[in-house]
Amino acid sequence: MPFIAELIKYKSCSIVGLEKNTGKTECFNYVMQRLPLDNIRVAVSSIGIDGETTDQVTKTAKPEIFLREGVYFGTSEKHYLTKLLTSELLEISDENTSLGNIVIGKALTPGKLLLSGPSSTNGLRRWMNEMQKYDIDLTIIDGALSRLSLASPAVSESMILATGAAYSANINTLVQKTAFVVQMINLELTSQENYDTFININNGVWAIDADNDFDIEKRLVDLKVASSLSININTDGLKKCKTLYVSGALTDNFVNHIRQNKIFNETEIVVRDFTKIFLTPMTYNTFVNNKRKITVLQKSKLIAVCVNPTSPNGIVLDSEKLCKTLSEAINLPVYDLKKV
């Protein structure tokens, strides 16, 4: 499969579902069965719990997680004790979850287990850094419902997106919604100058004044806004905004508010990465034009999009039509992994 060859070029990959039952675990198992374990060391974990046999919301059957011999893993103490494989216990990490500390192990036989890794992206980063002592070549992170923050470039270098009938039962709507997410994932990187200016700013909203662009000390203006959830922006002293950096979430209300202010008529909005964007397609498309754009400081490589044409309530979409229509919309290969 072409995307497996692409995947092993990266140190880390997140597998993220746009909704429950979009085939994320099927995708995870597909990838795990095809990785060249003779040549690379692979570690896996999850944000949240994955590998349960029954969906706790829909009460429908779910695919279980299956590991091959030689795979390293991180899961909670509780689920380490219920594993259906033989493993070597390497260490009990200081990383704590509601189900106990994270246990790091290595599968000595093929088998099943529940993955319940760190519960936050910061915890996940710490665990991934800890795994480097085992000379891991590739870390695979199994995502959780709507946890697109897992796909942040701060966590993983690459990602695989799972979508399907559970996200929308109408092919056209499903394609439109998925294509917009892909568009956000593929947003253009900002300039190196902007990256250097903003990368270490973790709070507030900041502007670069175009009229003071020549003066490094005067060009960066703190707008005195805690986040974009507030639209009370202090533009005193700001004549023309060249660049606007939003350190947190970028929302519809914020973008629609600044769009009405002529100071921002030719502004580039910069966010840390696509997971910070909470815009509707209408707001995004209305804001972006030949003089305004939205860019990111960091981005992950989207390796593949996989689809599950079946929803838990029994709706089955035309797999071939879905793959073809979505592929044309996003200009990427789209796979129904049960048919490849």
Side-chain angles (χ1 to χ4, degrees), residues 45-48 74 95-97 102 116-124 127:
S45 193
S46 169
I47 222 175
E95 197 63 45
N96 188 263
T97 75
I102 297 298
S116 52
S119 57
S120 69
T121 52
N122 286 335
L124 199 53
W127 176 80

Side-chain angles (χ1 to χ4, degrees), residues 137-295:
D137 298 299
L138 172 64
T139 304
I140 305 286
I141 305 299
D142 201 19
L145 172 62
S146 301
R147 294 294 293 270
L148 280 175
S149 60
L150 172 69
S152 166
V155 176
S156 60
E157 294 180 358
S158 64
M159 64 179 295
I160 297 172
L161 198 64
T163 187
Y167 192 41
S168 175
N170 178 279
I171 285 183
N172 291 332
T173 303
L174 173 57
V175 167
Q176 289 172 6
K177 291 172 69 175
T178 304
F180 182 67
V181 174
V182 171
Q183 185 179 6
M184 296 301 97
I185 293 169
N186 290 330
L187 280 174
E188 175 187 348
L189 286 169
T190 192
S191 67
Q192 184 65 45
E193 180 184 15
N194 284 342
Y195 178 90
D196 293 339
T197 301
F198 299 127
I199 190 61
N200 293 318
I201 298 178
N202 298 310
N203 297 290
V205 178
W206 300 73
I208 292 179
D209 190 340
D211 284 1
N212 286 315
D213 197 31
F214 61 90
D215 189 326
I216 295 176
E217 291 186 359
K218 292 182 179 179
R219 73 188 185 108
L220 189 60
V221 180
D222 184 354
L223 297 186
K224 309 298 182 183
V225 182
S227 75
S228 71
L229 298 178
S230 169
I231 58 175
N232 297 317
I233 303 172
N234 178 15
T235 58
D236 293 347
L238 185 64
K239 297 179 181 179
K240 184 178 180 183
C241 180
K242 174 185 177 183
T243 308
L244 190 67
Y245 174 63
V246 179
S247 63
L250 184 64
T251 63
D252 274 2
N253 283 344
F254 182 83
V255 170
N256 288 329
H257 178 72
I258 68 167
R259 186 168 54 84
Q260 299 170 26
N261 190 326
K262 64 181 182 179
I263 291 175
F264 303 103
N265 280 350
E266 299 180 17
T267 295
E268 172 187 348
I269 296 180
V270 181
V271 295
R272 188 159 292 272
D273 60 64
F274 87 96
T275 67
K276 302 296 186 184
I277 298 175
F278 296 88
L279 302 180
T280 60
M282 179 179 292
T283 298
Y284 175 80
N285 292 325
T286 302
F287 178 79
V288 173
N289 58 30
N290 62 334
K291 292 184 178 180
R292 292 193 303 238
K293 61 181 178 178
I294 298 175
T295 62

Side-chain angles (χ1 to χ4, degrees), residues 87-100:
S87 70
E88 177 185 358
L89 194 160
L90 299 173
E91 66 177 285
I92 299 177
S93 168
D94 291 334
E95 197 63 45
N96 188 263
T97 75
S98 60
L99 300 175

Side-chain angles (χ1 to χ4, degrees), residues 15-75:
I15 301 177
V16 181
L18 291 182
E19 184 57 82
K20 291 179 74 68
N21 300 294
T22 53
K24 174 180 57 61
T25 303
E26 289 276 6
C27 182
F28 178 89
N29 283 334
Y30 182 92
V31 168
M32 293 306 299
Q33 292 308 305
R34 286 159 180 79
L35 288 171
L37 297 184
D38 291 342
N39 301 322
I40 61 173
R41 285 192 178 189
V42 175
V44 301
S45 193
S46 169
I47 222 175
I49 302 173
D50 223 326
E52 297 170 298
T53 57
T54 304
D55 189 289
Q56 297 304 305
V57 176
T58 63
K59 303 305 178 184
T60 53
K62 291 180 60 178
E64 297 174 86
I65 284 178
F66 186 88
L67 296 188
R68 290 158 62 195
E69 178 184 349
V71 173
Y72 293 74
F73 61 88
T75 194

